[in-house]
Amino acid sequence: MARGMDHFLYRDGVLHAEDVPLPEIAAAVGTPFYVYSTATLLRHFTLFDEALSGTEHLVCYAMKAASNQAILKTLAAAGAGMDVVSGGEYMRAKAAGVPGDKIVFSGVGKTADEIRLALSGGIRQFNVESEPEMEVLNRVAGEVGVRAPITIRVNPDVDAKTHAKIATGKSENKFGIPIARAREVYALAASLPNLDVIGIDVHIGSQLTDLAPFELAYQKVAELTETLRGDGHTIKRLDLGGGLGIPYARNNEAPPLPSDYGALIKRTVGHLGCEIEIEPGRLIAGNAGCMITQVIYVKSGEGRDFLILDGAMNDLIRPAMYEAYHDIVPVLEADAGVEQTPYDIVGPVCESGDTFAKQRMMAPLNAGDLVAFRSAGAYGAVMSSEYNTRPLIPEVLVHGDQYAVIRARPTFDEMINRDTIPEWL
């Protein structure tokens, strides 16, 4: 992977986040912790924004990837909209100062309460996933006294050739309505008095490393746009989803560049005169974050050596949950030419699933050494838990030569005192 894509680089043998040496943060906040680079977040957002230049567009950050308000504020200041999938994310975006008209609400299970929240606070659009949702949206909008702007998510039945757990555009997936039924579903939407049909939504999956599935899907959306306009619907906005993959530094995967993706969008739907929305999440946040953890023990096993870290599956669940690969590097650079050795890299949680990597080649490490999990900015902190009564780890944001803790590690007392003991005990 081209290391120029992020701002985590060795200087004089020490891994830095921008201009801050990582051991300095470790000494101040303790390990493990997440650290994000402002420059990388902004760089990736800008690449998408520029890829769509010349078209009316909004890049909506899919905040499920990493939703700390400091990250949201950083991106919003650069002009990003937000893509939210829950009432909590909607509130978080509003708290970070994002106006309602730049927030898109996606997801298959929006509740009446979540819909009411967004209609009352202002929303750019709902990406509707089913007919029952449409009925609820119509009812709640009537109660609130507004018309709800909607796109309908169509499922183009394109195989994105990605991991089964993150593929969303095939006919058997739970998302969207089959494109073959689009005309009747749009007709139903047009008949509901409190809905304002404004466009089409499509999203075919996550971590896609080939543009061909996007091309197929967007061609189908272009045809559907013409068909629906012929039926009398206003189609002025196309939400083309997210899903462009990031390089995870393995197999030399080289995902398409945002500029190529933007050119594809202009080529397939540019002639329609629609406003374009895209919703990158992983590609903005993924390489903008690392998890820093410390070696507790080096343990020799039967025919294999284990690196036991103070970071665990509760802090970064992606490898345990869907065999995700993370580049794992020492914070103090190994001497050139040192012979590498295979390690099983594990955490301290009492589950055999608490394994980050098996037989990973690394320069020899000792107890107390710091290691960095690269590309951990997306779906890292947001998916973490307090399993084994392990505190949620701090999040730190770096900006040039400055850094700030943007979420502090709770104390054991704070965690334990959230429990309430019933009076009969």
Side-chain angles (χ1 to χ4, degrees):
M1 159 189 170
R3 284 292 176 228
M5 285 294 280
D6 63 41
H7 296 79
F8 295 96
L9 300 166
Y10 289 105
R11 280 194 212 168
D12 300 325
V14 180
L15 192 61
H16 283 58
E18 298 185 28
D19 299 325
V20 181
L22 290 172
E24 184 184 313
I25 302 178
V29 307
T31 53
F33 63 90
Y34 280 102
V35 56
Y36 307 101
S37 155
T38 297
T40 310
L41 287 166
L42 291 175
R43 177 194 151 91
H44 286 101
F45 169 74
T46 304
L47 285 175
F48 276 107
D49 206 31
E50 289 173 351
L52 293 176
S53 64
T55 64
E56 198 187 341
H57 70 274
L58 183 64
V59 177
C60 292
Y61 169 60
M63 59 179 274
K64 62 177 186 275
S67 59
N68 189 292
Q69 288 176 70
I71 291 173
L72 304 185
K73 257 185 147 40
T74 297
L75 292 169
M82 296 293 155
D83 172 51
V84 307
V85 294
S86 72
E89 283 192 349
Y90 175 82
M91 294 294 284
R92 193 175 267 277
K94 292 291 290 271
V98 182
D101 64 9
K102 291 185 90 167
I103 302 175
V104 169
F105 204 139
S106 303
V108 295
K110 306 177 195 75
T111 66
D113 285 345
E114 287 175 320
I115 289 168
R116 187 173 291 106
L117 182 72
L119 284 173
S120 306
I123 193 78
R124 182 178 179 81
Q125 85 217 26
F126 292 92
N127 292 336
V128 173
E129 299 244 10
S130 67
E131 290 146 291
E133 179 192 340
M134 217 179 272
E135 308 271 5
V136 172
L137 193 52
N138 180 62
R139 174 173 60 78
V140 177
E143 292 165 6
V144 176
V146 295
R147 292 190 78 207
I150 69 162
T151 68
I152 296 171
R153 176 167 176 180
V154 298
N155 190 329
D157 197 16
V158 168
D159 185 356
K161 305 272 196 294
T162 185
H163 192 293
K165 285 185 185 168
I166 51 180
T168 59
K170 288 161 69 180
S171 53
E172 72 257 30
N173 296 126
K174 72 177 179 179
F175 299 98
I177 58 137
I179 199 161
R181 292 193 53 235
R183 292 178 75 180
E184 61 178 286
V185 176
Y186 272 82
L188 170 65
S191 75
L192 295 170
N194 303 313
L195 301 187
D196 184 14
V197 177
I198 59 165
I200 305 171
D201 172 38
V202 65
H203 177 64
I204 57 170
S206 181
Q207 190 52 19
L208 272 65
T209 51
D210 177 15
L211 284 178
F214 287 115
E215 181 131 21
L216 284 171
Y218 297 169
Q219 282 167 350
K220 289 187 176 191
V221 168
E223 288 164 27
L224 181 61
T225 301
E226 307 278 21
T227 303
L228 292 174
R229 283 175 171 171
D231 289 348
H233 301 287
T234 300
I235 306 294
K236 61 184 181 186
R237 188 178 290 166
L238 299 178
D239 184 324
L240 300 178
L244 205 58
I246 72 170
Y248 278 107
R250 176 179 60 161
N251 315 340
N252 296 323
E253 276 185 318
L257 297 168
S259 53
D260 295 337
Y261 176 62
L264 164 69
I265 289 172
K266 291 172 188 175
R267 186 169 73 242
T268 50
V269 299
H271 61 288
L272 296 166
C274 289
E275 182 180 16
I276 303 299
E277 289 167 344
I278 55 170
E279 287 144 3
R282 186 194 309 267
L283 224 164
I284 289 178
N287 285 334
C290 288
M291 183 177 78
I292 310 302
T293 170
Q294 189 169 32
V295 179
I296 309 176
Y297 298 115
V298 182
K299 172 182 167 181
S300 295
E302 203 55 53
R304 60 183 59 212
D305 291 337
F306 293 90
L307 282 185
I308 301 173
L309 308 178
D310 64 1
M313 64 186 284
N314 70 294
D315 306 310
L316 179 64
I317 202 172
R318 298 183 68 253
M321 193 152 133
Y322 33 70
E323 296 85 55
Y325 178 96
H326 287 274
D327 207 12
I328 303 170
V329 299
V331 168
L332 298 182
E333 198 169 16
D335 295 330
V338 68
E339 195 170 336
Q340 296 200 325
T341 176
Y343 289 109
D344 280 16
I345 303 175
V346 303
V349 156
C350 292
E351 298 273 351
S352 52
D354 189 16
T355 299
F356 292 116
K358 291 189 169 162
Q359 297 299 286
R360 182 73 65 87
M361 298 303 291
M362 302 274 290
L365 286 161
N366 299 303
D369 289 349
L370 296 173
V371 296
F373 283 67
R374 288 187 176 273
S375 310
Y379 307 108
V382 286
M383 291 180 91
S384 56
S385 76
E386 291 180 344
Y387 187 45
N388 286 190
T389 305
R390 292 170 50 82
L392 292 180
I393 67 178
E395 292 179 278
V396 176
L397 183 63
V398 170
H399 183 252
D401 59 359
Q402 301 171 268
Y403 71 89
V405 176
I406 57 175
R407 185 184 72 184
R409 192 190 317 270
T411 66
F412 289 125
D413 279 350
E414 285 167 342
M415 293 166 65
I416 292 164
N417 290 339
R418 290 200 298 257
D419 298 350
T420 306
I421 307 293
E423 58 194 27
W424 63 81
L425 293 172

